[in-house]
Amino acid sequence: MKIIVNIVILVFLGTSVSQAQVLDDYFKIAAENNPGLQAKYREFEAAIQKVEQVNTLPDPNFSFGYFISPVETRVRPQKARFSLTQMFPWFGTLRAQGNAAALMAEAKYQAFLDARNRLYYQVAAAYYPLYELNQWKEIERENIEILESYKTITNKKFENGVGTMVDFLRVDIMLKDATTNLSILNDKEAPLLTRFNKLLNREEDALVTVEDSLVAQALPDNFRKDSLLTNNPVLEELDLKIASSEASEEVAYKQGLPKFGVGLDYAIVGNRPEVELPDNGQDILMPMVSVSIPIFRSKYKAAVKEAQLMQESYSLQKKDFANTLTSNYEMAWFEIQQQQELIELYDQQIQESNQALNLLFTAYSNSGNEFEEVLRMQQQLLKYEKMKATAATQYQIALAKLNYLTAKTY
């Protein structure tokens, strides 16, 4: 089945919908359906569950013993014994463990936000080539119509003896080239659609609404640069990982301190009928207190050192990412300015090429000469129109990348 991209100007109460509004709809669909983004959110939800796991006391220990042969004490025999013990870590250990897990969960959420922003950029980067494709197809169709009209004109001039067969053949050659180019562009449509729709987790041939014009708005210098290093989720994620490692260092230190345990020991005691004693046969209840002695210190020291090294690692990662972020911003900003200048240039070139083409075609209509120049100028105009469509596409992709780098909210 042939895949068709629907190119329309959406109108609501007489107002055309901008490409930003169309893209916002696709961003929403991608955020709701993309499996990679959903996986990132599940990681965040799983990290939240970790907080409860580390923020509670260890399970109490219960033991039961039964004396197959009752143990005779000086006053009465013991039949069975029950023991219940609860261990308590050093003061503040549970709080530190909970803080470390909570901070790591917040870091996972920031990773999710960055994945969402990156997905928005990927959607935009897949959307705008569809615009470029449609513009190229429309330009090629117009070129074919013009060449067919030239073919008719050169044929009539040849029949009337005021033209040459060479002019007719030149047009025919270029017409075949244009027809083949259009066929190739039609074939290119399917993979572009597939790439875009799969980001939205939709069927490969799902309908995509593509705008028929793009606006390259003028941007102020240092556009959104003030939010580059303040709102970026990756930098926030690394800050939270540093804080989590600091809490983990506190946990490692406190785990190297003694742990306390309290419990009860209950013994079932038999009766000795041959003697009369106070509390004869009465069961025994004995409170107990225990303390762990962490004498093997190397593992605790290693855990503290591990947390300290992770803090240094995250700090270095943050510095490296900030440097990369700044350089990527400058490259994206250069790309935006470059494409904006190219769009202005191509607008002028198209206008002047149209004027030159009209003059050349008028001269050819009158004299029948220099038809080769008419064709050359027609192809030059075609080239500038395609280059303008490409520049407009690259401008929008560069702007989408800059929005990702500066963590624009939608």
Side-chain angles (χ1 to χ4, degrees):
M1 182 180 68
K2 185 174 179 59
I3 302 173
I4 302 175
V5 178
N6 186 27
I7 311 173
V8 295
I9 301 179
L10 300 178
V11 179
F12 181 71
L13 297 180
T15 303
S16 64
V17 181
S18 69
Q19 72 266 14
Q21 289 173 299
V22 173
L23 263 183
D24 284 348
D25 292 336
Y26 288 132
F27 288 160
K28 182 178 179 181
I29 295 172
E32 292 174 350
N33 298 335
N34 184 271
L37 187 60
Q38 291 176 348
K40 282 289 184 181
Y41 193 77
R42 293 296 182 272
E43 287 184 19
F44 160 65
E45 291 182 317
I48 292 177
Q49 304 305 314
K50 187 71 174 179
V51 178
E52 187 65 25
Q53 297 177 44
V54 301
N55 206 23
T56 56
L57 290 170
D59 293 333
N61 291 324
F62 174 79
S63 61
F64 168 76
Y66 180 78
F67 298 102
I68 298 176
S69 298
V71 177
E72 295 287 342
T73 65
R74 188 172 61 87
V75 292
R76 45 197 179 288
Q78 295 184 19
K79 296 182 177 180
R81 176 174 294 177
F82 301 86
S83 295
L84 180 65
T85 306
Q86 174 66 61
M87 297 300 295
F88 296 89
W90 190 264
F91 307 103
T93 301
L94 293 180
R95 174 188 55 79
Q97 290 180 168
N99 288 343
L103 289 167
M104 190 57 70
E106 291 184 41
K108 291 290 186 182
Y109 182 71
Q110 294 299 322
F112 159 74
L113 292 181
D114 178 68
R116 183 200 62 186
N117 294 344
R118 185 168 59 252
L119 175 62
Y120 288 168
Y121 165 64
Q122 291 172 339
V123 170
Y127 172 83
Y128 290 115
L130 289 170
Y131 162 83
E132 179 187 31
L133 175 67
N134 291 325
Q135 291 297 306
W136 278 44
K137 287 168 61 177
E138 184 61 27
I139 292 169
E140 205 65 70
R141 279 192 289 263
E142 292 177 359
N143 182 46
I144 290 174
E145 291 178 3
I146 293 172
L147 290 175
E148 285 177 343
S149 68
Y150 284 177
K151 186 175 181 180
T152 302
I153 293 172
T154 55
N155 185 45
K156 288 182 178 180
K157 283 187 175 291
F158 174 72
E159 291 175 350
N160 294 332
V162 293
T164 64
M165 177 59 71
V166 173
D167 292 339
F168 177 84
L169 293 175
R170 284 196 183 106
V171 176
D172 190 58
I173 291 171
M174 296 181 68
L175 187 58
K176 290 178 180 177
D177 285 344
T179 303
T180 301
N181 290 339
L182 182 59
S183 176
I184 293 172
L185 291 173
N186 286 329
D187 293 338
K188 187 179 179 180
E189 188 175 72
L192 291 181
L193 271 177
T194 299
R195 181 178 69 162
F196 180 81
N197 280 320
K198 286 308 176 182
L199 286 171
L200 277 61
N201 198 28
R202 305 195 307 180
E203 294 296 327
E204 297 176 5
D205 58 350
L207 184 67
V208 179
T209 301
V210 182
E211 290 297 314
D212 66 346
S213 63
L214 297 177
V215 179
Q217 68 268 32
L219 302 176
D221 291 339
N222 298 322
F223 178 67
R224 297 182 57 83
K225 193 173 184 179
D226 56 343
S227 63
L228 182 65
L229 301 179
T230 56
N231 298 329
N232 191 277
V234 176
L235 296 178
E236 292 287 340
E237 177 190 359
L238 291 171
D239 280 336
L240 289 165
K241 285 184 175 181
I242 292 172
S244 178
S245 293
E246 291 172 350
S248 296
E249 181 182 354
E250 182 183 0
V251 171
Y253 172 75
K254 290 183 179 297
Q255 286 179 339
L257 299 175
K259 299 178 180 63
F260 303 96
V262 295
L264 289 174
D265 199 5
Y266 183 80
I268 300 176
V269 179
N271 185 32
R272 300 188 67 172
E274 69 276 9
V275 294
E276 291 187 8
L277 295 170
D279 302 327
N280 188 12
Q282 185 173 345
D283 296 341
I284 300 173
L285 180 64
M286 181 175 63
M288 294 185 299
V289 176
S290 61
V291 178
S292 67
I293 304 175
I295 59 175
F296 303 106
R297 306 297 304 166
S298 59
K299 61 180 179 181
Y300 303 113
K301 292 179 180 179
V304 171
K305 187 63 176 178
E306 177 188 6
Q308 293 172 344
L309 290 173
M310 288 308 301
Q311 293 171 44
E312 294 179 14
S313 173
Y314 292 138
S315 296
L316 292 171
Q317 288 179 47
K318 180 182 177 182
K319 185 176 181 179
D320 179 65
F321 185 79
N323 291 338
T324 302
L325 204 58
T326 301
S327 61
N328 287 344
Y329 174 90
E330 294 299 333
M331 288 302 300
W333 179 244
F334 164 75
E335 183 73 11
I336 288 173
Q337 291 178 308
Q338 179 188 39
Q339 299 305 326
Q340 198 164 18
E341 291 179 8
L342 288 175
I343 290 171
E344 294 174 0
L345 171 64
Y346 297 145
D347 277 334
Q348 296 173 1
Q349 301 287 52
I350 288 171
Q351 182 180 358
E352 293 178 3
S353 295
N354 267 317
Q355 294 173 351
L357 180 61
N358 290 333
L359 292 173
L360 287 169
F361 190 75
T362 300
Y364 170 73
S365 299
N366 293 332
S367 65
N369 298 325
E370 298 187 351
F371 184 68
E372 185 177 356
E373 286 298 310
V374 173
L375 292 179
R376 188 185 65 79
M377 186 57 64
Q378 171 63 30
Q379 295 309 301
Q380 183 171 301
L381 176 61
L382 176 71
K383 180 185 71 173
Y384 287 138
E385 288 176 340
K386 287 183 175 180
M387 292 172 71
K388 179 186 175 182
T390 298
T393 298
Q394 294 303 315
Y395 173 92
Q396 296 295 339
I397 293 176
L399 180 58
K401 184 174 183 179
L402 188 141
N403 287 336
Y404 164 63
L405 294 173
T406 57
K408 177 185 176 182
T409 56
Y410 293 89

